[in-house]
């Protein structure tokens, strides 16, 4: 029992401290052996069991459809980024106009889920790259952020995954990302600090140089009003 207690405390401590185990999302090899429809059916039964254990009356009109709604939301929406087939096709183009400065896409909305408590992470991502001859459509940067956000996440990992994906797409190390987000597992439970947010950053290539990094951060701080 004492060993079990220590393990439980260790797991709880890891979750509260938002420690990630890997730069890759932890996935089993058989993760996609069953279809989305089969996953929805299984999750529906499991959510039904959780709600029933909590003592909720699942014959009530308001609750009757909840297990199915939650199951579909998990598979088709908030965890849709787990499936590699949903990775956005990032079309690239030749930089024919020879634009040689950094391109910054800022204030990209982030809706993700903390993998330790399955509570929302809500914030903004700011992404930049310097072309080495290839450019990518602006909306694809948003879609890449959204893809990696739609899975159980640790913010540090998500920030790294966004940068690594764009580096691969663009064929350059000169990519940077900053994410500023609120974690409801901190804001609504545990310490319940509603004011705090978490900032993570990943800088690649030229963005490791202090001057280039400073320019990127200055762009982020520009007021944008329309």
């Amino acid at each position: 029992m004492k060993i079990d207690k220590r393990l439980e405390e260790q797991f709880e401590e890891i979750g509260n401290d938002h420690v990630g185990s890997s730069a890759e999302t932890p996935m089993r090899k058989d993760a996609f052996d069953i279809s989305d429809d089969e996953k929805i059916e299984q999750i529906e039964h499991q959510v039904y069991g959780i709600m029933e254990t909590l003592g909720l009356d699942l014959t009530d009109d308001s609750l009757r459809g909840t297990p199915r709604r939650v199951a579909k939301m998990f598979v088709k929406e908030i965890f849709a980024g787990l499936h590699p087939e949903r990775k956005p096709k990032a079309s690239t183009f030749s930089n024919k106009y020879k634009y040689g400065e950094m391109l910054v896409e800022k204030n990209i909305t982030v809706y993700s889920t903390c993998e330790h408590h399955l509570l929302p992470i809500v914030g903004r991502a700011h992404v930049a790259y310097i072309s080495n001859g290839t450019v990518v459509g602006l909306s694809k940067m948003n879609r890449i952020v959204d893809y990696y956000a739609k899975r159980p996440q640790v913010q540090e990992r998500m920030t790294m995954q966004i940068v690594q994906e764009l580096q691969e797409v663009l064929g350059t190390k000169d990519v940077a990302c900053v994410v500023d987000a609120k974690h409801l597992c901190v804001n609504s439970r545990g310490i319940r600090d509603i004011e705090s947010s978490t900032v993570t950053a990943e800088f690649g290539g030229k963005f490791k140089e202090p001057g280039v990094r400073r320019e990127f951060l200055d762009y982020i701080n520009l007021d944008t009003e329309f």
Side-chain angles (χ1 to χ4, degrees), residues 90 92 101-105 108 125-136 140-142 144-145 148 158-179 200-209 212-213 216-217 220:
T92 57
E101 302 298 322
M102 74 175 68
L103 184 146
V104 181
E105 184 82 356
I108 300 172
H126 314 284
V127 183
Y129 71 90
I130 300 171
S131 173
N132 67 347
T134 300
V135 296
V136 67
K140 295 302 186 290
M141 298 169 73
N142 299 61
I144 286 170
V145 170
Y148 284 104
M158 178 176 65
T159 308
M160 294 169 63
Q161 289 174 334
I162 292 166
V163 168
Q164 290 168 2
E165 180 66 22
L166 278 167
Q167 287 175 330
E168 183 175 342
V169 166
L170 291 162
T172 179
K173 291 291 184 183
D174 302 334
V175 178
C177 178
V178 171
V179 178
T200 51
E202 179 75 4
F203 301 107
K206 293 178 181 177
F207 286 93
K208 292 183 180 294
E209 300 172 11
V212 178
R213 183 186 307 178
F216 171 48
L217 298 176
I220 291 175

Side-chain angles (χ1 to χ4, degrees), residues 6-166:
R6 282 203 300 271
L7 285 174
E8 183 180 347
E9 289 173 350
Q10 179 184 354
F11 293 148
E12 186 65 21
E13 183 178 355
I14 288 173
N16 286 332
D17 287 343
H18 290 252
V19 177
S21 60
S22 169
E24 299 292 328
T25 301
M27 298 290 292
R28 296 201 323 269
K29 291 182 179 179
D30 63 349
F32 307 108
D33 286 356
I34 62 174
S35 69
D36 282 356
D37 288 340
E38 290 173 302
K39 288 181 179 181
I40 289 170
E41 184 176 347
Q42 290 184 23
I43 293 170
E44 179 181 359
H45 291 305
Q46 291 157 354
V47 173
Y48 186 99
I50 291 170
M51 296 179 69
E52 192 173 50
T53 300
L54 289 171
L56 294 166
D57 180 6
L58 288 164
T59 65
D60 185 270
D61 288 342
S62 180
L63 297 177
R64 188 178 298 146
T66 298
R68 183 73 175 180
R69 286 191 292 267
V70 171
K72 289 175 67 177
M73 177 185 69
F74 276 8
V75 176
K76 300 287 189 179
E77 297 178 64
I78 65 173
F79 298 144
L82 289 172
H83 205 303
E85 290 183 0
R86 295 193 180 96
K87 181 186 287 190
K89 302 281 192 301
S91 301
T92 57
F93 311 92
S94 175
N95 185 9
K96 294 180 180 179
Y97 30 85
K98 307 299 181 185
Y99 179 73
E101 302 298 322
M102 74 175 68
L103 184 146
V104 181
E105 184 82 356
K106 66 177 190 172
N107 294 328
I108 300 172
T109 301
V110 172
Y111 286 114
S112 191
T113 305
C114 165
E115 70 180 37
H116 298 126
H117 296 95
L118 298 186
L119 286 171
I121 300 171
V122 182
R124 302 283 184 181
H126 314 284
V127 183
Y129 71 90
I130 300 171
S131 173
N132 67 347
T134 300
V135 296
V136 67
L138 293 179
S139 67
K140 295 302 186 290
M141 298 169 73
N142 299 61
R143 293 182 190 280
I144 286 170
V145 170
D146 189 56
Y147 173 71
Y148 284 104
K150 283 184 174 175
R151 54 180 68 183
Q153 272 292 14
V154 176
Q155 187 173 320
E156 297 93 322
R157 179 198 297 139
M158 178 176 65
T159 308
M160 294 169 63
Q161 289 174 334
I162 292 166
V163 168
Q164 290 168 2
E165 180 66 22
L166 278 167

